[in-house]
Amino acid sequence: MPRSPSAGRVVLTALDSLDDAALADLYTVDRDAPWLRVNFVTSLDGASAAADGLSGGLSDPRDKRVFGILRMLCDGLLVGAGTLRREGYRALRLDEPRRRWRTARGLPAFPRLIVVSGSLDLDPAQAALADAPVRPIILTCETAPAHRRDALAPVADVLVYGEREVDLPGALDVLRRTGLPQLLSEGGPQLLGALTAADLVDELCLTLAPLLVGPGPGRITAGAPVRAARRMRLAHTIRADDLLILRYTRDGA
């Protein structure tokens, strides 16, 4: 693989030249250290969704291949309740080769789904919860209605962190200490905004789709402005025709 002589960055010009093992190696980090990876796809003009309001309209099989590898590598998949509802998440399952890859490395066959929801506006019958191969976790706060906690309790572990909003630093610290050090967040924008505001993001994987969507769809982050920008460093670039798959890590990581 060619490397930049100045920065030691890996530049990959063809996704098709990499098998899944090589892709996994590119994204593997030290399992002894906690790590929060965020994965998004955007249009060239920054939209986080296509005209139908869903991110799937920006993706294609090549992006989804990397998407699947990132899920294979994580201990827990972190997602906001709005994204879970809007994108129609199904149960978090992996195909047999990826389950075999995990178990060969001493990992559970499936990562665990972790949903962030301050209001608990979730349907216990949604497939992502009701059909999950591993009991999901729902992170909420004290103001969440008690009857919604009770309704979700049969299908998920509902954990309370924070009074009026979810205490993400506290919740993620506990998750990591209880066996989920490698976390992957798939959004949405409000969750990314909260993670950024708390300076919790170690890595951003960003796919640039060769599309101009125009005004309307939101961007990948939302919420209150942060006080200080976090410097990120380009770790590698993967090209698949006109599609760019970028990986940035926290500066100094």
Short mmCIF file of all heavy atoms in Angstrom, two decimals, residues 176-244:
data_model
loop_
_atom_site.label_atom_id
_atom_site.label_comp_id
_atom_site.label_asym_id
_atom_site.label_seq_id
_atom_site.Cartn_x
_atom_site.Cartn_y
_atom_site.Cartn_z
N ARG A 176 -17.84 1.16 28.78
CA ARG A 176 -16.48 0.71 28.48
C ARG A 176 -15.93 -0.15 29.60
O ARG A 176 -15.23 -1.13 29.36
CB ARG A 176 -15.59 1.92 28.22
CG ARG A 176 -15.88 2.58 26.88
CD ARG A 176 -15.37 3.99 26.82
NE ARG A 176 -15.40 4.51 25.46
CZ ARG A 176 -15.27 5.78 25.14
NH1 ARG A 176 -15.10 6.68 26.09
NH2 ARG A 176 -15.31 6.17 23.88
N ARG A 177 -16.25 0.20 30.83
CA ARG A 177 -15.74 -0.57 31.97
C ARG A 177 -16.49 -1.88 32.16
O ARG A 177 -16.05 -2.72 32.96
CB ARG A 177 -15.80 0.28 33.24
CG ARG A 177 -14.75 1.39 33.26
CD ARG A 177 -14.63 2.08 34.60
NE ARG A 177 -15.69 3.04 34.84
CZ ARG A 177 -16.68 2.88 35.70
NH1 ARG A 177 -16.76 1.75 36.41
NH2 ARG A 177 -17.61 3.80 35.87
N THR A 178 -17.60 -2.04 31.46
CA THR A 178 -18.36 -3.29 31.57
C THR A 178 -18.26 -4.13 30.30
O THR A 178 -19.16 -4.93 30.01
CB THR A 178 -19.84 -2.99 31.89
OG1 THR A 178 -20.37 -2.06 30.92
CG2 THR A 178 -19.97 -2.39 33.27
N GLY A 179 -17.18 -3.92 29.54
CA GLY A 179 -16.90 -4.82 28.43
C GLY A 179 -17.23 -4.34 27.04
O GLY A 179 -17.25 -5.14 26.11
N LEU A 180 -17.49 -3.03 26.88
CA LEU A 180 -17.80 -2.49 25.56
C LEU A 180 -16.87 -1.31 25.25
O LEU A 180 -17.31 -0.17 25.11
CB LEU A 180 -19.27 -2.04 25.49
CG LEU A 180 -20.33 -3.10 25.76
CD1 LEU A 180 -21.71 -2.47 25.85
CD2 LEU A 180 -20.30 -4.19 24.71
N PRO A 181 -15.55 -1.55 25.12
CA PRO A 181 -14.61 -0.44 24.93
C PRO A 181 -14.64 0.17 23.53
O PRO A 181 -14.38 1.36 23.37
CB PRO A 181 -13.24 -1.07 25.22
CG PRO A 181 -13.43 -2.53 24.89
CD PRO A 181 -14.85 -2.84 25.26
N GLN A 182 -14.95 -0.64 22.52
CA GLN A 182 -14.91 -0.16 21.14
C GLN A 182 -16.33 0.16 20.69
O GLN A 182 -17.14 -0.75 20.47
CB GLN A 182 -14.29 -1.21 20.23
CG GLN A 182 -12.90 -1.66 20.64
CD GLN A 182 -11.86 -0.57 20.46
OE1 GLN A 182 -11.88 0.15 19.48
NE2 GLN A 182 -10.94 -0.46 21.39
N LEU A 183 -16.63 1.45 20.56
CA LEU A 183 -17.98 1.88 20.22
C LEU A 183 -18.01 2.51 18.83
O LEU A 183 -17.11 3.27 18.46
CB LEU A 183 -18.51 2.87 21.25
CG LEU A 183 -18.61 2.34 22.69
CD1 LEU A 183 -19.04 3.45 23.63
CD2 LEU A 183 -19.58 1.16 22.76
N LEU A 184 -19.06 2.21 18.09
CA LEU A 184 -19.29 2.79 16.77
C LEU A 184 -20.61 3.54 16.81
O LEU A 184 -21.64 2.97 17.17
CB LEU A 184 -19.36 1.69 15.71
CG LEU A 184 -19.87 2.09 14.32
CD1 LEU A 184 -18.90 3.07 13.65
CD2 LEU A 184 -20.09 0.87 13.44
N SER A 185 -20.58 4.82 16.45
CA SER A 185 -21.80 5.62 16.39
C SER A 185 -22.20 5.83 14.94
O SER A 185 -21.38 6.24 14.12
CB SER A 185 -21.62 6.97 17.09
OG SER A 185 -22.77 7.77 16.90
N GLU A 186 -23.47 5.59 14.63
CA GLU A 186 -24.01 5.85 13.30
C GLU A 186 -24.98 7.03 13.29
O GLU A 186 -25.79 7.18 12.40
CB GLU A 186 -24.69 4.58 12.76
CG GLU A 186 -23.70 3.45 12.52
CD GLU A 186 -24.35 2.17 12.03
OE1 GLU A 186 -25.60 2.09 11.99
OE2 GLU A 186 -23.60 1.24 11.69
N GLY A 187 -24.88 7.87 14.33
CA GLY A 187 -25.70 9.08 14.34
C GLY A 187 -26.98 8.89 15.13
O GLY A 187 -27.13 7.96 15.89
N GLY A 188 -27.82 9.88 14.93
CA GLY A 188 -27.83 10.92 13.92
C GLY A 188 -27.15 12.21 14.33
O GLY A 188 -26.31 12.24 15.25
N PRO A 189 -27.53 13.31 13.62
CA PRO A 189 -26.87 14.60 13.81
C PRO A 189 -26.91 15.11 15.25
O PRO A 189 -25.92 15.67 15.72
CB PRO A 189 -27.66 15.52 12.86
CG PRO A 189 -28.16 14.60 11.79
CD PRO A 189 -28.49 13.32 12.49
N GLN A 190 -28.04 14.96 15.93
CA GLN A 190 -28.11 15.43 17.32
C GLN A 190 -27.14 14.65 18.21
O GLN A 190 -26.49 15.25 19.08
CB GLN A 190 -29.54 15.30 17.85
CG GLN A 190 -30.53 16.27 17.24
CD GLN A 190 -30.35 17.70 17.74
OE1 GLN A 190 -29.67 17.94 18.74
NE2 GLN A 190 -30.95 18.65 17.04
N LEU A 191 -27.04 13.35 17.99
CA LEU A 191 -26.11 12.56 18.79
C LEU A 191 -24.67 12.94 18.49
O LEU A 191 -23.86 13.10 19.41
CB LEU A 191 -26.33 11.07 18.53
CG LEU A 191 -25.42 10.11 19.29
CD1 LEU A 191 -25.49 10.33 20.80
CD2 LEU A 191 -25.74 8.66 18.95
N LEU A 192 -24.33 13.13 17.20
CA LEU A 192 -22.98 13.55 16.88
C LEU A 192 -22.67 14.91 17.50
O LEU A 192 -21.57 15.13 18.02
CB LEU A 192 -22.77 13.60 15.37
CG LEU A 192 -21.40 14.11 14.91
CD1 LEU A 192 -20.26 13.30 15.51
CD2 LEU A 192 -21.29 14.10 13.39
N GLY A 193 -23.64 15.83 17.45
CA GLY A 193 -23.42 17.13 18.08
C GLY A 193 -23.14 17.02 19.56
O GLY A 193 -22.25 17.68 20.10
N ALA A 194 -23.89 16.14 20.24
CA ALA A 194 -23.68 15.96 21.68
C ALA A 194 -22.34 15.29 21.96
O ALA A 194 -21.63 15.66 22.92
CB ALA A 194 -24.82 15.13 22.26
N LEU A 195 -21.96 14.31 21.15
CA LEU A 195 -20.67 13.64 21.33
C LEU A 195 -19.51 14.61 21.08
O LEU A 195 -18.50 14.59 21.79
CB LEU A 195 -20.56 12.44 20.40
CG LEU A 195 -21.50 11.27 20.67
CD1 LEU A 195 -21.45 10.27 19.53
CD2 LEU A 195 -21.16 10.58 21.99
N THR A 196 -19.66 15.47 20.07
CA THR A 196 -18.63 16.46 19.77
C THR A 196 -18.52 17.48 20.89
O THR A 196 -17.42 17.85 21.31
CB THR A 196 -18.93 17.16 18.44
OG1 THR A 196 -19.04 16.18 17.40
CG2 THR A 196 -17.83 18.14 18.07
N ALA A 197 -19.68 17.94 21.38
CA ALA A 197 -19.67 18.93 22.46
C ALA A 197 -18.98 18.39 23.70
O ALA A 197 -18.33 19.14 24.44
CB ALA A 197 -21.10 19.35 22.78
N ALA A 198 -19.10 17.08 23.94
CA ALA A 198 -18.46 16.45 25.10
C ALA A 198 -17.04 16.00 24.79
O ALA A 198 -16.39 15.40 25.65
CB ALA A 198 -19.30 15.27 25.57
N ASP A 199 -16.56 16.26 23.57
CA ASP A 199 -15.21 15.89 23.14
C ASP A 199 -14.95 14.40 23.30
O ASP A 199 -13.92 13.96 23.80
CB ASP A 199 -14.15 16.69 23.91
CG ASP A 199 -12.79 16.65 23.22
OD1 ASP A 199 -12.74 16.42 22.00
OD2 ASP A 199 -11.77 16.86 23.91
N LEU A 200 -15.91 13.60 22.84
CA LEU A 200 -15.82 12.16 22.97
C LEU A 200 -15.42 11.45 21.68
O LEU A 200 -15.15 10.24 21.71
CB LEU A 200 -17.17 11.60 23.45
CG LEU A 200 -17.63 12.02 24.85
CD1 LEU A 200 -19.07 11.56 25.10
CD2 LEU A 200 -16.69 11.45 25.91
N VAL A 201 -15.40 12.15 20.56
CA VAL A 201 -15.17 11.52 19.27
C VAL A 201 -13.67 11.30 19.04
O VAL A 201 -12.89 12.24 19.02
CB VAL A 201 -15.75 12.37 18.13
CG1 VAL A 201 -15.45 11.73 16.77
CG2 VAL A 201 -17.25 12.56 18.31
N ASP A 202 -13.29 10.04 18.88
CA ASP A 202 -11.90 9.69 18.58
C ASP A 202 -11.65 9.55 17.09
O ASP A 202 -10.50 9.71 16.63
CB ASP A 202 -11.52 8.37 19.27
CG ASP A 202 -11.58 8.47 20.78
OD1 ASP A 202 -10.91 9.36 21.34
OD2 ASP A 202 -12.31 7.67 21.40
N GLU A 203 -12.69 9.25 16.33
CA GLU A 203 -12.50 8.97 14.91
C GLU A 203 -13.78 9.29 14.14
O GLU A 203 -14.89 9.01 14.63
CB GLU A 203 -12.14 7.49 14.72
CG GLU A 203 -11.99 7.04 13.29
CD GLU A 203 -11.64 5.57 13.17
OE1 GLU A 203 -11.00 5.03 14.11
OE2 GLU A 203 -12.00 4.95 12.16
N LEU A 204 -13.62 9.86 12.96
CA LEU A 204 -14.74 10.09 12.06
C LEU A 204 -14.46 9.41 10.73
O LEU A 204 -13.46 9.69 10.07
CB LEU A 204 -14.97 11.59 11.82
CG LEU A 204 -16.01 11.94 10.74
CD1 LEU A 204 -17.39 11.45 11.16
CD2 LEU A 204 -16.03 13.44 10.47
N CYS A 205 -15.33 8.47 10.36
CA CYS A 205 -15.28 7.84 9.05
C CYS A 205 -16.35 8.51 8.21
O CYS A 205 -17.54 8.45 8.55
CB CYS A 205 -15.53 6.34 9.17
SG CYS A 205 -14.29 5.48 10.14
N LEU A 206 -15.94 9.14 7.13
CA LEU A 206 -16.85 9.96 6.34
C LEU A 206 -16.77 9.56 4.88
O LEU A 206 -15.71 9.66 4.26
CB LEU A 206 -16.50 11.44 6.49
CG LEU A 206 -17.42 12.43 5.79
CD1 LEU A 206 -18.80 12.41 6.44
CD2 LEU A 206 -16.83 13.84 5.86
N THR A 207 -17.90 9.09 4.34
CA THR A 207 -17.97 8.77 2.92
C THR A 207 -18.57 9.95 2.17
O THR A 207 -19.64 10.45 2.56
CB THR A 207 -18.84 7.52 2.69
OG1 THR A 207 -18.21 6.40 3.32
CG2 THR A 207 -18.99 7.23 1.21
N LEU A 208 -17.89 10.39 1.11
CA LEU A 208 -18.38 11.47 0.27
C LEU A 208 -19.00 10.87 -0.98
O LEU A 208 -18.31 10.31 -1.83
CB LEU A 208 -17.25 12.42 -0.11
CG LEU A 208 -16.64 13.27 1.01
CD1 LEU A 208 -15.56 14.16 0.45
CD2 LEU A 208 -17.71 14.11 1.70
N ALA A 209 -20.32 10.98 -1.08
CA ALA A 209 -21.02 10.48 -2.26
C ALA A 209 -20.96 11.53 -3.37
O ALA A 209 -21.10 12.73 -3.08
CB ALA A 209 -22.48 10.18 -1.91
N PRO A 210 -20.76 11.13 -4.61
CA PRO A 210 -20.60 12.09 -5.71
C PRO A 210 -21.94 12.67 -6.17
O PRO A 210 -22.36 12.52 -7.32
CB PRO A 210 -19.94 11.24 -6.80
CG PRO A 210 -20.44 9.87 -6.57
CD PRO A 210 -20.57 9.74 -5.07
N LEU A 211 -22.65 13.33 -5.24
CA LEU A 211 -23.97 13.88 -5.51
C LEU A 211 -24.07 15.30 -4.97
O LEU A 211 -23.50 15.61 -3.92
CB LEU A 211 -25.05 13.03 -4.83
CG LEU A 211 -25.19 11.57 -5.25
CD1 LEU A 211 -26.12 10.85 -4.29
CD2 LEU A 211 -25.68 11.46 -6.68
N LEU A 212 -24.82 16.13 -5.66
CA LEU A 212 -25.23 17.44 -5.16
C LEU A 212 -26.72 17.36 -4.86
O LEU A 212 -27.54 17.28 -5.78
CB LEU A 212 -24.93 18.54 -6.18
CG LEU A 212 -23.45 18.82 -6.45
CD1 LEU A 212 -23.29 19.81 -7.59
CD2 LEU A 212 -22.75 19.34 -5.19
N VAL A 213 -27.08 17.37 -3.60
CA VAL A 213 -28.46 17.19 -3.18
C VAL A 213 -29.22 18.50 -3.17
O VAL A 213 -30.42 18.55 -3.42
CB VAL A 213 -28.50 16.50 -1.80
CG1 VAL A 213 -29.91 16.44 -1.25
CG2 VAL A 213 -27.93 15.09 -1.90
N GLY A 214 -28.51 19.60 -2.86
CA GLY A 214 -29.17 20.88 -2.76
C GLY A 214 -29.73 21.14 -1.38
O GLY A 214 -29.58 20.33 -0.47
N PRO A 215 -30.41 22.28 -1.18
CA PRO A 215 -30.92 22.63 0.14
C PRO A 215 -32.06 21.71 0.56
O PRO A 215 -32.73 21.09 -0.26
CB PRO A 215 -31.41 24.07 -0.04
CG PRO A 215 -31.69 24.20 -1.49
CD PRO A 215 -30.70 23.32 -2.19
N GLY A 216 -32.25 21.62 1.85
CA GLY A 216 -33.33 20.81 2.40
C GLY A 216 -32.86 19.85 3.46
O GLY A 216 -33.08 20.08 4.65
N PRO A 217 -32.19 18.76 3.07
CA PRO A 217 -31.74 17.81 4.09
C PRO A 217 -30.73 18.43 5.05
O PRO A 217 -29.95 19.32 4.68
CB PRO A 217 -31.08 16.70 3.25
CG PRO A 217 -31.68 16.83 1.89
CD PRO A 217 -31.92 18.29 1.71
N GLY A 218 -30.75 17.96 6.30
CA GLY A 218 -29.82 18.46 7.30
C GLY A 218 -28.41 17.97 7.06
O GLY A 218 -28.14 17.19 6.15
N ARG A 219 -27.50 18.44 7.91
CA ARG A 219 -26.10 18.06 7.84
C ARG A 219 -25.82 17.01 8.90
O ARG A 219 -26.70 16.63 9.66
CB ARG A 219 -25.21 19.29 8.00
CG ARG A 219 -24.92 20.06 6.70
CD ARG A 219 -26.09 20.15 5.75
NE ARG A 219 -25.72 20.65 4.42
CZ ARG A 219 -26.53 20.63 3.37
NH1 ARG A 219 -27.74 20.12 3.47
NH2 ARG A 219 -26.13 21.09 2.19
N ILE A 220 -24.58 16.52 8.95
CA ILE A 220 -24.33 15.36 9.81
C ILE A 220 -24.30 15.70 11.28
O ILE A 220 -24.31 14.80 12.12
CB ILE A 220 -23.02 14.63 9.42
CG1 ILE A 220 -21.79 15.49 9.71
CG2 ILE A 220 -23.06 14.19 7.97
CD1 ILE A 220 -20.48 14.73 9.57
N THR A 221 -24.28 16.99 11.63
CA THR A 221 -24.25 17.36 13.04
C THR A 221 -25.25 18.46 13.32
O THR A 221 -25.58 19.25 12.44
CB THR A 221 -22.83 17.79 13.46
OG1 THR A 221 -22.77 17.93 14.88
CG2 THR A 221 -22.43 19.10 12.80
N ALA A 222 -25.77 18.48 14.55
CA ALA A 222 -26.76 19.47 14.95
C ALA A 222 -26.66 19.66 16.45
O ALA A 222 -26.05 18.85 17.17
CB ALA A 222 -28.16 19.02 14.55
N GLY A 223 -27.27 20.73 16.94
CA GLY A 223 -27.26 20.99 18.37
C GLY A 223 -26.57 22.30 18.70
O GLY A 223 -26.30 23.12 17.81
N ALA A 224 -26.27 22.50 19.97
CA ALA A 224 -25.65 23.74 20.42
C ALA A 224 -24.21 23.83 19.91
O ALA A 224 -23.53 22.81 19.80
CB ALA A 224 -25.66 23.80 21.95
N PRO A 225 -23.73 25.05 19.59
CA PRO A 225 -22.35 25.20 19.11
C PRO A 225 -21.36 24.76 20.18
O PRO A 225 -21.60 24.89 21.39
CB PRO A 225 -22.23 26.71 18.85
CG PRO A 225 -23.63 27.21 18.71
CD PRO A 225 -24.47 26.34 19.59
N VAL A 226 -20.22 24.20 19.73
CA VAL A 226 -19.15 23.83 20.65
C VAL A 226 -18.23 25.02 20.86
O VAL A 226 -18.12 25.90 20.01
CB VAL A 226 -18.35 22.62 20.13
CG1 VAL A 226 -19.25 21.40 20.01
CG2 VAL A 226 -17.71 22.93 18.79
N ARG A 227 -17.56 25.04 22.00
CA ARG A 227 -16.71 26.19 22.32
C ARG A 227 -15.38 26.15 21.60
O ARG A 227 -14.80 27.19 21.29
CB ARG A 227 -16.47 26.24 23.84
CG ARG A 227 -17.75 26.52 24.64
CD ARG A 227 -17.44 26.66 26.12
NE ARG A 227 -18.63 26.97 26.89
CZ ARG A 227 -18.64 27.15 28.20
NH1 ARG A 227 -17.50 27.03 28.90
NH2 ARG A 227 -19.76 27.42 28.83
N ALA A 228 -14.87 24.95 21.36
CA ALA A 228 -13.56 24.83 20.72
C ALA A 228 -13.59 23.70 19.71
O ALA A 228 -14.17 22.63 19.98
CB ALA A 228 -12.47 24.58 21.78
N ALA A 229 -13.00 23.94 18.56
CA ALA A 229 -12.96 22.90 17.52
C ALA A 229 -11.94 21.83 17.89
O ALA A 229 -10.91 22.12 18.52
CB ALA A 229 -12.60 23.53 16.18
N ARG A 230 -12.23 20.60 17.52
CA ARG A 230 -11.32 19.49 17.76
C ARG A 230 -10.56 19.21 16.46
O ARG A 230 -11.13 18.96 15.43
CB ARG A 230 -12.12 18.25 18.19
CG ARG A 230 -11.42 16.90 18.02
CD ARG A 230 -10.13 16.77 18.76
NE ARG A 230 -10.26 16.92 20.19
CZ ARG A 230 -9.20 16.94 21.01
NH1 ARG A 230 -7.97 16.84 20.51
NH2 ARG A 230 -9.38 17.07 22.31
N ARG A 231 -9.25 19.26 16.54
CA ARG A 231 -8.40 18.98 15.38
C ARG A 231 -8.40 17.48 15.10
O ARG A 231 -8.20 16.66 15.99
CB ARG A 231 -6.97 19.45 15.67
CG ARG A 231 -5.96 19.12 14.58
CD ARG A 231 -6.10 19.99 13.39
NE ARG A 231 -5.13 19.66 12.35
CZ ARG A 231 -5.02 20.31 11.20
NH1 ARG A 231 -5.81 21.33 10.94
NH2 ARG A 231 -4.12 19.94 10.31
N MET A 232 -8.63 17.12 13.84
CA MET A 232 -8.60 15.72 13.41
C MET A 232 -7.52 15.56 12.34
O MET A 232 -7.17 16.52 11.64
CB MET A 232 -9.95 15.29 12.85
CG MET A 232 -11.12 15.48 13.80
SD MET A 232 -11.05 14.44 15.28
CE MET A 232 -11.61 12.86 14.61
N ARG A 233 -7.02 14.34 12.23
CA ARG A 233 -5.93 14.07 11.30
C ARG A 233 -6.35 12.98 10.32
O ARG A 233 -6.92 11.96 10.71
CB ARG A 233 -4.69 13.62 12.08
CG ARG A 233 -3.44 13.40 11.23
CD ARG A 233 -2.25 13.08 12.13
NE ARG A 233 -1.03 12.94 11.34
CZ ARG A 233 -0.25 13.94 10.97
NH1 ARG A 233 -0.58 15.17 11.31
NH2 ARG A 233 0.84 13.73 10.27
N LEU A 234 -6.04 13.19 9.03
CA LEU A 234 -6.40 12.21 8.02
C LEU A 234 -5.56 10.96 8.21
O LEU A 234 -4.34 11.00 8.18
CB LEU A 234 -6.17 12.79 6.62
CG LEU A 234 -6.53 11.88 5.45
CD1 LEU A 234 -8.02 11.58 5.44
CD2 LEU A 234 -6.11 12.54 4.13
N ALA A 235 -6.24 9.82 8.39
CA ALA A 235 -5.54 8.56 8.58
C ALA A 235 -5.41 7.80 7.27
O ALA A 235 -4.36 7.23 6.98
CB ALA A 235 -6.28 7.69 9.61
N HIS A 236 -6.47 7.77 6.48
CA HIS A 236 -6.36 7.17 5.15
C HIS A 236 -7.52 7.60 4.26
O HIS A 236 -8.55 8.09 4.74
CB HIS A 236 -6.25 5.64 5.19
CG HIS A 236 -7.45 4.91 5.70
ND1 HIS A 236 -7.41 4.10 6.80
CD2 HIS A 236 -8.72 4.85 5.24
CE1 HIS A 236 -8.60 3.58 7.01
NE2 HIS A 236 -9.42 4.02 6.07
N THR A 237 -7.33 7.41 2.97
CA THR A 237 -8.33 7.72 1.96
C THR A 237 -8.51 6.50 1.07
O THR A 237 -7.53 5.94 0.58
CB THR A 237 -7.89 8.91 1.08
OG1 THR A 237 -7.60 10.02 1.92
CG2 THR A 237 -8.98 9.28 0.09
N ILE A 238 -9.74 6.09 0.87
CA ILE A 238 -10.05 4.99 -0.03
C ILE A 238 -10.90 5.54 -1.17
O ILE A 238 -11.87 6.26 -0.92
CB ILE A 238 -10.80 3.86 0.69
CG1 ILE A 238 -9.97 3.31 1.85
CG2 ILE A 238 -11.17 2.74 -0.27
CD1 ILE A 238 -10.69 2.29 2.70
N ARG A 239 -10.54 5.18 -2.37
CA ARG A 239 -11.29 5.65 -3.53
C ARG A 239 -11.98 4.48 -4.22
O ARG A 239 -11.39 3.43 -4.42
CB ARG A 239 -10.36 6.35 -4.52
CG ARG A 239 -11.09 6.87 -5.75
CD ARG A 239 -10.14 7.55 -6.71
NE ARG A 239 -10.85 7.95 -7.92
CZ ARG A 239 -10.26 8.47 -8.99
NH1 ARG A 239 -8.95 8.67 -9.00
NH2 ARG A 239 -10.97 8.82 -10.05
N ALA A 240 -13.25 4.70 -4.54
CA ALA A 240 -14.02 3.72 -5.31
C ALA A 240 -14.69 4.50 -6.44
O ALA A 240 -15.79 5.04 -6.26
CB ALA A 240 -15.05 3.02 -4.44
N ASP A 241 -14.01 4.59 -7.56
CA ASP A 241 -14.46 5.44 -8.65
C ASP A 241 -14.61 6.88 -8.14
O ASP A 241 -13.65 7.44 -7.66
CB ASP A 241 -15.75 4.91 -9.28
CG ASP A 241 -15.55 3.54 -9.93
OD1 ASP A 241 -14.45 3.31 -10.46
OD2 ASP A 241 -16.47 2.73 -9.90
N ASP A 242 -15.82 7.45 -8.19
CA ASP A 242 -16.02 8.83 -7.75
C ASP A 242 -16.39 8.93 -6.27
O ASP A 242 -16.64 10.04 -5.77
CB ASP A 242 -17.11 9.49 -8.59
CG ASP A 242 -16.70 9.65 -10.04
OD1 ASP A 242 -15.51 9.91 -10.29
OD2 ASP A 242 -17.56 9.51 -10.93
N LEU A 243 -16.44 7.81 -5.59
CA LEU A 243 -16.77 7.78 -4.17
C LEU A 243 -15.48 7.85 -3.36
O LEU A 243 -14.52 7.15 -3.65
CB LEU A 243 -17.50 6.47 -3.85
CG LEU A 243 -18.18 6.33 -2.50
CD1 LEU A 243 -19.52 7.06 -2.51
CD2 LEU A 243 -18.40 4.85 -2.19
N LEU A 244 -15.46 8.71 -2.33
CA LEU A 244 -14.30 8.81 -1.44
C LEU A 244 -14.71 8.37 -0.05
O LEU A 244 -15.73 8.82 0.48
CB LEU A 244 -13.78 10.25 -1.39
CG LEU A 244 -12.97 10.74 -2.58
CD1 LEU A 244 -12.51 12.17 -2.33
CD2 LEU A 244 -11.76 9.84 -2.84
#
